[in-house]
Amino acid sequence: MSKRALITGITGQDGSYLAEHLIAQGYQVWGLIRGQANPRKLRISRLASDVTFIDGDLMDQASLVAAVDAVQPDEVYNLGAISFVPMSWQQSELVTEVNAMGVLRMLEAIRMVSGLDKSRGGGGGGGIRFYQASSSEMFGKVTETPQRETTIFHPRSPYGAAKAYGHFITRNYRESFGMYAVSGMLFNHESPRRGAEFVTRKISLAVAQIKLGLQDKLFLGNLDAVRDWGFAGDYVRAMHLMLQQDEPSDYVVGTGRIHSVRDAVRIAFECVDLDWEDYVAIDPTLVRPAEVETLCADSTRARTQLGWEPAVDFRELMAMMVESDLSQASRERDYGDLLSATSW
Ligand code: NAP
Ligand code: G4F
C-alpha cells in the first residue's frame, strides 16, 4: 500500500518540490493549506495535481489535530513557516508563534492522534514520522567553519531563535516519547520557485528585467555576506531520506561550497553578458540589524549515512533561475501574461 504524507508549507518553494518528489515515489500526498481562498493553492495544483488539500494553520492547535487525524499519515513534513529573516525583526511575535510554537503544536497533534501518554514518557513513539525544517540560521554568528550537527547555535535574528526552539523541541519529543522526529539543518536552497524577496531570486528577476530594458537598477544590502547555496530540488531528497532511516537523527544539508552575494550578482549578470557593476547599487536600509556573515555546511553525515549528494552546482543554479525569469519576463512583455513575473 502506498505511504501517506502530510506536508505543511505545501504552497512554498520546498513544499512544491517535496510534493513532486513524494508523488514520484508513489506516495499519497496531502498539503495543509491555510486561510480563505489561498491564492497559492492554484500554483501547487498546476504542478502536482495529485495533492489533496486539507485546511489547517500552525497557529491553530485544533486544526492540526483534525488534519493529522483525518489524513492518518505515515510521514509529516513540517515546512510551514514565515521564512523571510528580515520579517522576523518587524513581526517578531508572529514569527515566533508560527516558527517555534507551530512546531510544538504539530508535535502535539501527532502525539495526541498517536495516543502517546505525556505522563509516562518513553513510549513506543507511535507510527508517524516527523520532519522539522530546521535552518542554518541557527548557527548565526558561527563558532566553527564549516558547520556540522554538533556546532553550537548562536542565532542572529528572531527567525533563527525561533528555529532553534523548533529544533530542540523536536529532539525533546524524540527523547521523551520515542517519536521518530528529526530535524534537517538545511543551508540556503533556491530555485526558480524561490520567493522574490530572497536575494538570489531578487537578483535573477532583476537581471531578466534589466536585460529586457524593463528595469535600470538593482538595489541590494550587504554584498559581502557569504552563503552555501544549493538547489531546492536536491534538498527535498534529503528530507525524504531522513525519514527512511532505522534510527531517527538530525542532519546538516548543504553543498560545502560558498559564494558571496557579490559572486551571485556577478555570475547572474554574466549569464546575460552584462557587467553587474553598471547596474547594482547599495541601499543601506536593506542591511540587517544583525547579519549572519558566513555559512558553510559540513554535510559529511548526510553524504555517508543518507547517501545524499547535491546534483546542481551554484553556477548552474543561477543560470537556471536567470533563464526561467528571462523567459517569464519576455512572455509577460510580449503577451501581457496575466501571471506576474514572480509567479510560477
Ligand atoms: P517558503 O517558500 O517561504 O514557504 C513557507 C510556507 O509556509 C508557505 O507554504 C506558507 O503558506 C507556509 N506558512 C506560513 N505561515 C503558516 C502558518 N501559520 N500555518 C501554516 N503554514 C504556514 O519557504 P521554503 O523556502 O519553502 O522553506 C520551507 C521551510 O524550510 C521553512 O520552514 C523555512 O523556514 C525552512 N528553511 C528554508 C531554507 C531555504 O533556504 N529555503 C533553508 C533552511 C530552512 P502560505 O501560502 O499560506 O503563506
Ligand atoms: O536570501 P536571503 O534573504 O536569505 P537568508 O537570510 O540567508 O535566509 C534564507 O536561508 C535560511 C537558511 O540559512 C533560511 F532559514 C531562511 O528561511 C531563508 O530561506 O539573504 C541572504 C543574504 C543575507 O546575508 C542578506 O543580508 O543576502 C544578503 N542580502 C544582501 N542584499 C540580501 C539583500 N538579502 C535580501 N533578501 N535582499 C537584499 O537586497
Side-chain angles (χ1 to χ4, degrees), residues 83-85 135-137 159 186 188 194 197-199 202 219-222 225 227 261 286 288 291-292 295:
S83 73
F84 188 46
V85 173
S135 164
S136 52
E137 272 287 309
Y159 171 89
L186 269 50
N188 299 51
R194 186 61 143 148
E197 64 275 37
F198 299 95
V199 77
K202 184 174 171 181
F219 288 97
L220 293 171
N222 177 15
R227 290 289 183 275
V261 174
L286 294 170
R288 300 176 179 187
E291 177 65 285
V292 172
L295 290 172

Side-chain angles (χ1 to χ4, degrees), residues 106-282:
M106 201 68 232
L107 287 162
E108 275 292 277
I110 293 171
R111 187 191 63 75
M112 288 182 211
V113 172
S114 307
L116 296 172
D117 186 348
K118 256 192 179 169
S119 61
R120 277 210 291 273
I128 303 174
R129 296 188 170 203
F130 176 77
Y131 173 87
Q132 166 56 18
S134 282
S135 164
S136 52
E137 272 287 309
M138 300 183 306
F139 298 123
K141 191 169 181 196
V142 299
T143 53
E144 63 176 339
T145 295
Q147 296 80 51
R148 50 195 165 146
E149 289 77 7
T150 51
T151 301
I152 291 166
F153 295 164
H154 186 146
R156 295 276 279 170
S157 62
Y159 171 89
K163 282 287 176 182
Y165 174 82
H167 185 86
F168 285 125
I169 199 67
T170 299
R171 183 186 295 174
N172 184 261
Y173 270 57
R174 175 166 86 221
E175 293 173 356
S176 301
F177 306 117
M179 281 172 60
Y180 192 115
V182 305
S183 292
M185 302 148 91
L186 269 50
F187 284 59
N188 299 51
H189 45 278
E190 322 292 312
S191 73
R193 301 177 193 172
R194 186 61 143 148
E197 64 275 37
F198 299 95
V199 77
T200 54
R201 185 78 197 288
K202 184 174 171 181
I203 294 168
S204 65
L205 276 164
V207 165
Q209 299 280 332
I210 288 169
K211 181 68 180 173
L212 296 176
L214 303 169
Q215 185 174 326
D216 301 326
K217 282 267 176 239
L218 165 61
F219 288 97
L220 293 171
N222 177 15
L223 297 186
D224 296 322
V226 168
R227 290 289 183 275
D228 177 337
W229 278 293
F231 171 52
D234 286 338
Y235 287 44
V236 299
R237 288 190 283 107
M239 297 176 188
H240 176 242
L241 286 168
M242 278 181 226
L243 293 195
Q244 315 310 313
Q245 306 307 302
D246 291 338
E247 294 300 326
S249 188
D250 305 326
Y251 294 87
V252 157
V253 176
T255 67
R257 300 280 162 96
I258 53 171
H259 294 88
S260 64
V261 174
R262 186 177 286 97
D263 293 334
V265 178
R266 180 179 45 77
I267 291 169
F269 275 91
E270 278 171 10
C271 293
V272 294
D273 299 320
L274 293 176
D275 183 348
W276 71 277
E277 293 189 88
D278 296 336
Y279 302 97
V280 173
I282 302 299

Side-chain angles (χ1 to χ4, degrees), residues 310-342:
V312 177
D313 73 20
F314 184 63
R315 198 169 270 278
E316 290 168 333
L317 174 63
M318 289 312 299
M320 179 201 302
M321 293 174 70
V322 168
E323 200 176 306
S324 164
D325 284 329
L326 206 46
S327 85
Q328 177 83 24
S330 3
R331 273 204 302 143
E332 195 170 58
R333 184 196 56 181
D334 298 343
Y335 304 111
D337 198 322
L338 290 173
L339 298 169
S340 92
T342 57

Side-chain angles (χ1 to χ4, degrees), residues 82-97:
I82 296 173
S83 73
F84 188 46
V85 173
M87 194 170 160
S88 75
W89 282 286
Q90 307 304 329
Q91 299 179 25
S92 329
E93 191 178 337
L94 177 65
V95 168
T96 305
E97 273 294 335

